[in-house]
Amino acid sequence: MNKWWHQSIKYLLLLSFIIPLLTACAVSDSVKDQYPLQSVNGSGNETSYVYRADNISVPDVAANLADQRKPEQQSEVSTERMFLVYSDEVIQLDQAPDDPSDTLIEINSTEYVRQNYSSSFLQGYLIASVLDDLFDHGKYGKGKYRGYTTKDIYKPNTSYRVPTVEDKKLAPPLTVNRTGSVFKRSKDANASASSPNTSSSQNKDTITSKPATKGKIVKEANESSKSNKVYTKPRKSKPSVKVGKSRVTRRR
């Protein structure tokens, strides 16, 4: 009896350790998305951190971030570029040039935006009152910078660099809550959906279907001399009668 009791306690203790671990893993995998740090610029209160969201579109990333923290202003929805403005930072979202299915998330401190960005560039995305507060009514915003994707053309005051160990400590992978409307699409989805005999030129992101065709009746060769009508209504007229003086003749 005592031996059975001790074994039961051991099993209960083992389950008490395993179940919480399994639950924690499930919650982490289904609720959180982590975006790795890709590039860094600046230091102190003038910083820019660039993250990459793999296989998530610009509007979906914007929705994720806005659900986690409501911005003061969000630019119009676009698949190529969006902005989220907060009191202490401005987030620029761009479609990745090397892979349009990815999104580059650029988190810029307010001071970085003031010292590097062109205020005229942001006028196409943000309202005037937000720009006035951001650039202190024209005191700042004299730079040429327009975002990480065009940094080689419209250069910031300092250059971007590969994140160091210290940078990753200051800016760990960006973690956001995944909303129910956001789904990550696998890059291999097209390959699994296409037939092995299908040429590579036909593997596209969208699946097309053949247009509906109408049915038709095909006649046999020996029926070519027949009428084209499927059914001919029989004649139901009464036989004609000819009346004479001496006799009545009925047509046969």
Side-chain angles (χ1 to χ4, degrees):
M1 182 69 179
N2 290 333
K3 185 177 180 180
W4 177 86
W5 178 252
H6 286 302
Q7 288 180 344
S8 299
I9 293 176
K10 288 180 181 179
Y11 287 130
L12 288 173
L13 290 174
L14 184 61
L15 289 173
S16 65
F17 283 109
I18 293 176
I19 292 176
L21 289 174
L22 293 175
T23 304
C25 292
V27 171
S28 176
D29 291 341
S30 62
V31 177
K32 300 288 184 180
D33 274 334
Q34 285 194 337
Y35 307 144
L37 183 63
Q38 179 170 305
S39 191
V40 179
N41 193 0
S43 60
N45 67 338
E46 188 180 328
T47 56
S48 175
Y49 297 102
V50 180
Y51 302 83
R52 178 180 286 264
D54 186 39
N55 286 335
I56 306 181
S57 67
V58 170
D60 286 344
V61 174
N64 260 352
L65 296 173
D67 287 343
Q68 183 168 284
R69 183 186 175 196
K70 186 177 180 180
E72 294 180 358
Q73 189 200 345
Q74 175 178 314
S75 63
E76 292 184 3
V77 176
S78 170
T79 58
E80 296 180 356
R81 175 176 291 155
M82 291 181 66
F83 287 89
L84 301 175
V85 180
Y86 298 92
S87 59
D88 57 344
E89 62 190 17
V90 176
I91 299 179
Q92 180 173 342
L93 307 174
D94 283 297
Q95 188 179 65
D98 57 338
D99 189 344
S101 64
D102 295 352
T103 298
L104 296 181
I105 308 168
E106 184 176 351
I107 302 181
N108 304 306
S109 66
T110 300
E111 192 63 27
Y112 184 88
V113 174
R114 287 179 171 180
Q115 298 298 333
N116 291 273
Y117 270 80
S118 166
S119 61
S120 60
F121 164 68
L122 292 176
Q123 287 176 5
Y125 300 93
L126 305 176
I127 60 177
S129 59
V130 171
L131 291 174
D132 286 342
D133 292 340
L134 183 60
F135 294 112
D136 197 7
H137 298 275
K139 184 178 179 180
Y140 303 99
K142 303 297 192 296
K144 298 180 179 179
Y145 188 63
R146 298 187 177 188
Y148 183 78
T149 57
T150 57
K151 68 183 187 321
D152 295 331
I153 302 174
Y154 305 100
K155 298 181 179 181
N157 295 332
T158 56
S159 300
Y160 278 87
R161 64 181 183 273
V162 177
T164 63
V165 175
E166 191 63 27
D167 290 329
K168 293 179 180 180
K169 289 181 180 179
L170 295 174
L174 179 64
T175 303
V176 297
N177 293 325
R178 187 190 303 173
T179 59
S181 60
V182 178
F183 296 93
K184 297 181 72 176
R185 180 178 64 83
S186 172
K187 292 181 180 179
D188 298 329
N190 295 332
S192 61
S194 61
S195 172
N197 295 327
T198 304
S199 61
S200 58
S201 62
Q202 293 177 336
N203 293 336
K204 299 181 180 179
D205 290 340
T206 56
I207 299 175
T208 58
S209 59
K210 293 183 178 180
T213 57
K214 296 181 179 180
K216 62 181 181 178
I217 299 175
V218 181
K219 289 189 173 185
E220 297 291 340
N222 57 5
E223 294 179 353
S224 58
S225 60
K226 296 182 179 180
S227 173
N228 291 330
K229 296 182 180 180
V230 178
Y231 173 73
T232 303
K233 189 174 181 180
R235 185 174 181 179
K236 294 184 179 180
S237 59
K238 296 181 179 180
S240 58
V241 178
K242 184 182 292 185
V243 180
K245 293 182 179 181
S246 59
R247 60 178 179 176
V248 176
T249 304
R250 184 181 298 271
R251 191 187 67 178
R252 293 181 181 180

